[in-house]
Amino acid sequence: MADDSDAAPSPEEMLRLIERQRADTVRRLKGDPRLMYAPWGVAWLLGFGTLFLHYGLDGEPYLAISQMQAVGVMLGLQVLAGGVAAYGITRMSGQVRGDSSARGMMYGYAWFAGMMLMVVVASRMSPQLPPAESGLLWAAVSMLVVGVLYMAGGALWLDWSMFFVGVCVLAVNAVGVVLGAGWHALLAAVFLGGGFVVVSFWLWRRG
């Protein structure tokens, strides 16, 4: 008598196996969204939250720290987030060879170059501005770099969710700049900080 365990799998089981393998392959090639989004969410939630407590909405600070300290916290956390995101990009690029690997490597370098240029521009311009506007310049330019690079990454890998996230970053950044430093920090902390954390786990669960 033939052993049932040696029987060939049914067509339905084969289709499920193929779909599972396809999903695993796509997940490896597109990277872990928790590395691509969650670090920025945490960095913005804490960093821009600190800036908001410094500025307040009515010009009165809610936290007795200097603007230099608040901006330093925001930038330091963004540097850490950028490092984790670059690690995620490196892992994703390591799964492939040829042009796709080269694109991932160049995209990682673009993050580094964009952040370095942000520091150069803001360092040159911020001393000429009032304190609140100086802090807003640092925050807005850093978010501009992140938003544009997310859109570029979405176009590079044909990933509409990544492209849309970049659009959201730029939209919140623009509204915050118009409203002022306190509102900019609050909107970035709540909508981008909290939103990125939620999106990262939603995309991870969605696969």
Side-chain angles (χ1 to χ4, degrees):
M1 180 180 295
D3 189 351
D4 291 341
S5 61
D6 295 333
S10 67
E12 292 79 8
E13 291 172 333
M14 288 296 296
L15 286 174
R16 283 196 295 270
L17 177 61
I18 292 171
E19 178 60 25
R20 218 167 28 240
Q21 291 175 338
R22 186 198 66 81
D24 290 341
T25 300
V26 170
R27 188 178 295 111
R28 286 196 300 270
L29 293 179
K30 297 187 72 172
D32 189 339
R34 292 171 298 179
L35 294 178
M36 299 292 292
Y37 297 98
W40 287 110
V42 173
W44 286 341
L45 189 61
L46 298 179
F48 283 109
T50 302
L51 273 179
F52 168 69
L53 293 176
H54 167 73
Y55 289 126
L57 292 180
D58 54 1
E60 293 296 328
Y62 303 138
L63 186 64
I65 62 172
S66 68
Q67 176 173 286
M68 183 177 296
Q69 291 172 326
V71 171
V73 170
M74 184 267 295
L75 291 178
L77 290 171
Q78 289 199 75
V79 169
L80 290 176
V84 176
Y87 170 72
I89 294 170
T90 302
R91 283 189 57 188
M92 178 177 61
S93 301
Q95 303 291 332
V96 294
R97 295 294 183 268
D99 292 343
S100 296
S101 178
R103 281 196 297 266
M105 184 180 300
M106 286 187 286
Y107 184 63
Y109 289 148
W111 278 92
F112 177 78
M115 285 299 175
M116 290 302 100
L117 180 60
M118 177 271 296
V119 171
V120 171
V121 172
S123 298
R124 177 66 177 83
M125 300 300 298
S126 61
Q128 305 177 39
L129 299 173
E133 301 301 317
S134 171
L136 181 59
L137 174 68
W138 280 96
V141 174
S142 66
M143 288 177 59
L144 173 64
V145 172
V146 173
V148 169
L149 285 175
Y150 264 104
M151 291 180 67
L156 187 62
W157 285 290
L158 299 179
D159 187 339
W160 279 104
S161 60
M162 192 175 187
F163 185 87
F164 179 71
V165 164
V167 172
C168 291
V169 171
L170 296 182
V172 171
N173 193 29
V175 172
V177 168
V178 171
L179 295 179
W183 279 103
H184 184 276
L186 178 61
L187 293 175
V190 174
F191 289 105
L192 297 181
F196 263 48
V197 173
V198 171
V199 165
S200 69
F201 284 95
W202 177 72
L203 289 175
W204 175 66
R205 290 287 300 274
R206 182 168 169 257

